[in-house]
Structures are given as C-alpha cells and as structure tokens.
Amino acid sequence: MPTIFSRIVRGEIPCYKVAENDEFFAFLDIRPQAKGHTLVIPKEEIDYLFDLPPAQLGRIMEFAQHVARAIREVVPCERIGVAVIGLEVPHAHIHLVPLNSMSDISFAKAPLSFPPEEMQALAAAIAARI
C-alpha cells in the first residue's frame, strides 16, 4: 500500500507544493511547527532517510538546501532547522522548520493551523524563489 507521501507525489492527495524535480518533492506540512514548515521527500518510496544510497542522500540534501534558502527569503526567521524523525510516515522525509528560538521545533507541542489561502500563497511565494 503506498504511503500518503507517495499518493501526494502522484497527485492523488492535494498538497501545497513548493518544489519538485525528477527525484524529489517538497511541500508545506499541513501540521506545521512554524509558518513555512516544509517537508522534503524522495519521490521513490524509501522508508528511512539513511537507507538512501549515499549519492541520493547527498542530492536530497542539496535539494533541501535550495528549498531552505527560499523559505528563509519568504519567512522571517533566524535559521531553518532540520529534523529527521521518520516515525510518523514510513517514507523518508526531512522537516525544514523556520526558527527564531529552540522551542520552534518541538514535535511535542500542538501544530499550528493556517487558512488554505494563506498556505497556498506561502507555497507560491517559496516556489517563486527556487
């Protein structure tokens, strides 16, 4: 059974897409820790980020770097935090979270919520800078 992320890549489930190439896909997290929280995934369904072949792991990090730079241009923040948890969805993914303090990236806290129009505008603004 395909993961929710594979279904997003195939267009079966809508998302707020930020970036895409032949190998990777980035979209806003619908349960964000901060405004601009983005997920970066390989299109290929691989369970764990560190199971990616070394060259592909390097390429996903390079892709994530471009996305992180674009997020930082759009969302006022000190840094873009990076988290790899890998327990909630069995599909490799990287969390890119705008940070102004250490508490901005705590998955123990309740996620934020933004109206769909704001999420769409944010995704478009980030995508325009990639």
Side-chain angles (χ1 to χ4, degrees):
M1 179 177 202
T3 68
I4 189 168
F5 292 167
S6 292
R7 296 182 65 209
I8 287 170
V9 169
R10 289 197 305 257
E12 297 170 9
I13 296 174
C15 73
Y16 301 103
K17 182 169 71 168
V18 168
E20 176 179 18
N21 67 16
D22 291 341
E23 219 174 356
F24 308 112
F25 197 91
F27 55 98
L28 295 180
D29 193 318
I30 60 168
R31 297 176 45 81
Q33 293 290 301
K35 184 176 182 175
H37 180 171
T38 301
L39 299 174
V40 175
I41 66 171
K43 288 183 174 180
E44 180 183 2
E45 194 170 299
I46 295 175
D47 181 20
Y48 180 53
L49 185 71
F50 298 113
D51 285 340
L52 292 170
Q56 189 177 22
L57 180 60
R59 290 190 304 273
I60 196 171
M61 291 306 291
E62 184 176 346
F63 182 83
Q65 181 182 40
H66 293 293
V67 174
R69 286 179 175 159
I71 295 168
R72 197 166 181 202
E73 288 181 26
V74 173
V75 179
C77 62
E78 264 188 64
R79 307 244 180 203
I80 301 297
V82 178
V84 176
I85 314 293
L87 298 174
E88 62 280 10
V89 177
H91 189 131
H93 58 287
I94 299 169
H95 294 264
L96 301 177
V97 182
L99 302 175
N100 289 301
S101 73
M102 292 293 286
S103 64
D104 290 341
I105 192 167
S106 170
F107 289 91
K109 70 179 184 180
L112 301 175
S113 179
F114 301 98
E117 313 77 49
E118 189 173 347
M119 294 286 279
Q120 187 60 48
L122 181 60
I126 295 168
R129 286 166 178 81
I130 295 178

